[in-house]
Amino acid sequence: TLFPYTTLFRSDYWQANSLKYRFQDSSAFFAIGGKDVNIFGGGVIDGKGQVWYDLFVTEPTAKRPLLFVIDGLEGGTMSSLNMVNPPNWFNLIANSTNIVIDDMDLKVAAVGNPAKNTDGWDTYRSSNIVIQNSIIDNTDDCVSFKPNSTQVLVQNLRCNGSHGISVGSLGQYVGVVDIVEDILDRKSVV
């Protein structure tokens, strides 16, 4: 194995060793980029979020990693995956173009302390993105369009318990122009 089993669930390990991003001082467990990459399957990616939800109660400034980041990908798909209990957002699509997300099942099932900031997908500096035919059971945004998200289609999403489809985090960096344009939501249920 890559890590001792107990290391996988230690928040101190992941705070020190996750992949770091400047945007909102975030980090991630996993990230993928490149060209023409396709991710599919039927398994489960479990973020073991309850450890992080409990930590948030005593340390609200603790750096909770995003479950999965697509960063710098030109052309690709992510489909037929199940994701549960992310420490923070489920997915971020950043600096990417021509991405299709299809047939995903995202679920938060907190026991005790509630989940925080479990956005289904956030897009950032990305264009030509399709997010479709998926179920999102969470407690925050189903999909959130962050700065410089353009030409994004979301369709046939079932968003349960969420804030719905939103635009956010615009204008937070001095001197940086942010736009969100050409966004279409078709047949999503919130």
Side-chain angles (χ1 to χ4, degrees):
T1 60
L2 293 173
F3 307 102
Y5 187 73
T6 56
T7 301
L8 291 175
F9 306 110
R10 287 189 18 226
S11 60
D12 60 332
Y13 173 84
W14 285 108
Q15 287 178 25
N17 294 288
S18 59
L19 304 166
K20 308 300 188 242
Y21 290 90
R22 277 196 213 172
F23 180 66
Q24 295 187 337
D25 195 24
S26 60
S27 65
F29 283 145
F30 306 102
I32 193 158
K35 189 168 182 162
D36 299 322
V37 176
N38 300 292
I39 305 161
F40 55 90
V44 176
I45 299 173
D46 188 343
K48 299 295 181 186
Q50 193 64 53
V51 171
W52 299 91
Y53 313 151
D54 296 343
L55 178 65
F56 188 82
V57 172
T58 57
E59 294 182 49
T61 59
K63 305 295 182 198
R64 296 172 296 127
L66 311 179
L67 187 57
F68 199 93
V69 174
I70 293 174
D71 186 10
L73 181 58
E74 290 182 40
T77 63
M78 176 185 264
S79 63
S80 303
L81 291 173
N82 300 304
M83 295 179 160
V84 297
N85 296 330
N88 202 334
W89 303 342
F90 277 97
N91 297 284
L92 171 64
I93 302 170
N95 309 303
S96 297
T97 59
N98 302 316
I99 308 298
V100 175
I101 307 294
D102 185 46
D103 188 33
M104 300 285 289
D105 189 354
L106 282 52
K107 188 172 296 193
V108 172
V111 177
N113 292 311
K116 299 287 183 184
N117 308 103
T118 57
D119 295 8
W121 285 276
D122 288 46
T123 61
Y124 173 65
R125 293 183 178 174
S126 295
S127 64
N128 274 345
I129 309 297
V130 175
I131 302 171
Q132 64 185 6
N133 306 322
S134 297
I135 300 169
I136 302 90
D137 293 307
N138 68 344
T139 58
D140 212 299
D141 300 322
C142 186
V143 179
S144 181
F145 308 109
K146 304 292 188 190
N148 304 306
S149 295
T150 61
Q151 300 172 332
V152 182
L153 169 64
V154 293
Q155 62 184 356
N156 299 322
L157 300 183
R158 190 166 22 148
C159 304
N160 302 312
S162 75
H163 299 162
I165 311 288
S166 65
V167 175
S169 304
L170 302 180
Q172 68 184 20
Y173 297 110
V174 175
V176 175
V177 175
D178 294 331
I179 62 168
V180 171
E181 64 183 4
D182 296 326
I183 305 295
L184 178 61
D185 175 16
R186 295 179 50 209
K187 299 182 183 178
S188 294
V189 178
V190 178

